[in-house]
Amino acid sequence: MPADTDSSFPADFIWGAATASYQIEGAAHADGRGESVWDRFSATPGKVRGGDTGEVACDFYHRYRDDVKLMRELGLDAFRFSISWPRVFPDGRGRVNTAGLDFYDRLVDALLAQGIEPFPTLFHWDSPQAFEEEGGWRSRSTAEAFVEYAEAVAARLGDRVRFWTTHNEPWVYAWIGHSAGKHAPGHTSETEAVAVAHHLLLSHGWAVQAIRRAAPDAQVGIVLDLHHNYPHSGSPEDEAAAWQVDGEGNRWFLDPIFRGTYPADLLERNAIVAPFVQDGDLEAIAAPLDFLGVNNYSRFLVSAGSDGPQFVRNPEGQYTEMDWEVYPDGLYQVLVRVAKDYAPPAIYVTENGAAFGDVRVHDGAVHDPERTAYLETYIDAVGRAIADGAPVKGYFVWSLFDNFEWGYGYSKRFGIVYIDYPTLERVPKDSFYWYRDLIASRSGAPRPSPVATT
Ligand code: FCB
């Protein structure tokens, strides 16, 4: 890493790794867990590559104690995970499944015992299937149910969890799940996507209040997937196209959260959302936050086409296994722009990482120099953003483990720990050791010593 950005990271900067419940936990039927939309979607033939499902995944549900030890070896300051709503409320609302909450209680204690800050997300897409018959997130009542769920979880864990995230990437859940049909629940309606996004935002605002009631000292935020949109040329048409994409993906969430308005330039989108917006909704959505979580992997290069904005491939670019361009400056631009235009009190990079075609070679190791290079250049971009005034307080690698990559099943490996799926053996990749050394070289404050886990 270039020496000039080294000093940008304060001693109390949080070095983390991220995961999500459906992607790692497995144990889909254990201890009274209810069905999620992802169980239903992945069991539907043709929806997920290879017919893969999250039934077993990394079996984190049963192996978390050893996995927490691995996190300790890595030197993590914080672990980002999500809570599975149908583990806590198998029917979505009403009856609490205590055994489900107990799992997260044990996980939080195990993390804290190793000096690792728990950084939970309440909703990372595994919505209770029970709601779908009543309209799922297209319906406002799901937003109301989310508040009951947030309250129950915060009441149980709020004495130990300091950082709370309501939603993960509402754009993806709304548009990829309800307009593109490539994620659960697999619908293809723009109107539905707009309604879902509004109800996600609304439930976020309400849940912020609910979490603060249960845990008054909590730091509360939301995680958005943000891209910097580069016009393909300096033409006014390409610039307008890039601005439109920025509106649809970034400002559609940033503006209501930080300004209490939907972006006025998106006329069609505003006409679609209007019937779903009730008095007081935008005030609720704009509840003050303690931090913004930013997920970023790539950038968009945008040109104007006859049918609207087009995404252009960079002929000189390097692309990952996801076909996402490696472009660290895109993360730098997102961070400084968000800081300037929206002034969140703090920013965490809650996901960043890359999928490559990792293999375990004859020496038993996994050599992933492309991932290490990717992480190095993106972390350098974070350092530059901090030096230029962005209040970035932490960084989380996506992901700690190879895991269930949604519609791609297990075919894409993002982990810094390789999972040998037939045996579920954990094999730290070279990038794991690189990240461990980076964290060790920067940990300013002495780490709390581990205590016996309960
Ligand atoms: C993000 C998701 C995360 C993971 C990464 C690769 O959009 O939040 O669950 O799938 O992409």
Side-chain angles (χ1 to χ4, degrees):
M1 173 166 315
D4 54 343
T5 57
D6 254 33
S7 55
S8 306
F9 293 96
D12 60 356
F13 191 81
I14 289 181
W15 296 100
T19 59
S21 47
Y22 192 74
Q23 295 180 276
I24 64 163
E25 284 179 1
H29 308 288
D31 299 333
R33 176 184 175 279
E35 187 186 15
S36 78
V37 293
W38 270 97
D39 295 296
R40 181 69 63 95
F41 187 75
S42 59
T44 308
K47 296 298 185 192
V48 173
R49 189 176 290 186
D52 292 346
T53 76
E55 286 267 329
V56 176
C58 308
D59 198 30
F60 179 75
Y61 189 82
H62 295 115
R63 294 165 194 249
Y64 72 96
R65 285 189 188 283
D66 285 343
D67 289 336
V68 171
K69 285 187 198 142
L70 199 57
M71 295 179 210
R72 168 78 196 178
E73 193 187 323
L74 179 57
L76 284 189
D77 296 319
F79 175 56
R80 178 169 178 246
F81 59 97
S82 75
I83 293 171
S84 159
W85 185 349
R87 265 195 211 290
V88 179
F89 285 95
D91 309 313
R93 68 196 316 169
R95 179 178 59 90
V96 176
N97 176 36
T98 312
L101 262 180
D102 289 348
F103 168 66
Y104 297 106
D105 201 272
R106 291 193 300 273
L107 173 61
V108 163
D109 283 346
L111 290 166
L112 290 172
Q114 298 297 333
I116 300 168
E117 188 86 52
F119 209 100
T121 301
L122 286 164
F123 184 67
H124 199 129
W125 310 347
D126 44 357
S127 191
Q129 178 66 31
F131 292 135
E132 287 306 304
E133 285 73 42
E134 304 152 21
W137 281 97
R138 284 102 68 210
S139 151
R140 199 173 166 96
S141 61
T142 299
E144 290 159 5
F146 181 75
V147 182
E148 291 168 32
Y149 158 62
E151 255 164 4
V153 178
R156 179 74 186 269
L157 305 179
D159 57 336
R160 285 153 292 155
V161 169
R162 293 196 299 152
F163 293 91
W164 291 89
T165 300
T166 54
H167 291 300
N168 178 74
E169 301 191 352
W171 183 87
V172 172
Y173 191 75
W175 267 272
I176 306 297
H178 297 80
S179 176
K182 292 190 172 158
H183 278 189
H187 301 169
T188 52
S189 152
E190 172 78 7
T191 302
E192 281 193 13
V194 171
V196 167
H198 181 68
H199 295 141
L200 287 168
L201 283 167
L202 184 59
S203 70
H204 153 77
W206 286 339
V208 169
Q209 317 285 350
I211 295 165
R212 290 202 204 288
R213 278 196 299 275
D217 297 330
Q219 299 275 304
V220 191
I222 187 170
V223 168
L224 302 179
D225 53 311
L226 301 178
H227 290 92
H228 197 73
N229 297 286
Y230 293 74
H232 185 230
S233 76
S235 74
E237 292 78 13
D238 284 357
E239 287 191 3
W243 185 241
Q244 184 181 333
V245 175
D246 181 71
E248 290 169 354
N250 299 333
R251 288 181 289 120
W252 194 256
F253 295 89
L254 289 164
D255 280 15
I257 290 169
F258 290 101
R259 298 179 178 163
T261 54
Y262 279 117
D265 55 305
L266 297 178
L267 302 177
E268 278 176 39
R269 189 71 84 76
N270 273 284
I272 301 173
V273 82
F276 301 103
V277 180
Q278 297 185 10
D279 280 354
D281 283 6
L282 283 151
E283 290 76 6
I285 294 169
L289 293 183
D290 299 297
F291 68 88
L292 174 68
V294 172
N295 289 357
N296 176 268
Y297 293 86
S298 189
R299 60 117 174 213
F300 291 143
L301 189 56
V302 186
S303 73
S306 45
D307 275 348
Q310 308 288 317
F311 295 99
V312 182
R313 213 180 154 80
N314 173 10
E316 274 109 55
Q318 184 203 350
Y319 286 78
T320 68
E321 279 272 298
M322 298 294 284
D323 215 20
W324 295 347
E325 189 184 359
V326 178
Y327 208 83
D329 192 59
L331 175 55
Y332 166 83
Q333 296 292 346
V334 161
L335 296 173
V336 292
R337 181 271 180 110
V338 159
K340 178 163 95 38
D341 289 356
Y342 298 95
I347 301 175
Y348 292 87
V349 175
T350 34
E351 284 181 28
N352 172 247
F356 289 106
D358 304 315
V359 284
R360 202 174 173 191
V361 291
H362 60 279
D363 61 358
V366 180
H367 304 299
D368 58 341
E370 299 106 323
R371 180 171 295 101
T372 299
Y374 176 102
L375 296 174
E376 200 164 7
T377 55
Y378 273 78
I379 290 172
D380 180 58
V382 175
R384 286 192 286 123
I386 296 172
D388 290 344
V392 187
K393 308 291 182 202
Y395 171 91
F396 292 77
V397 172
W398 183 272
S399 178
L400 182 61
F401 307 115
D402 293 339
N403 59 45
F404 177 81
E405 180 45 39
W406 309 113
Y408 296 94
Y410 297 99
S411 68
K412 305 291 179 200
R413 293 180 177 273
F414 273 92
I416 56 173
V417 175
Y418 181 92
I419 300 287
D420 180 48
Y421 289 111
T423 62
L424 295 175
E425 188 189 347
R426 277 72 169 136
V427 183
K429 303 180 190 176
D430 287 358
S431 56
F432 173 98
Y433 296 109
W434 173 83
Y435 194 45
R436 178 195 64 182
D437 293 348
L438 174 110
I439 296 172
S441 72
R442 278 151 202 281
S443 52
R447 298 179 54 72
S449 25
V451 295
T453 41
T454 48

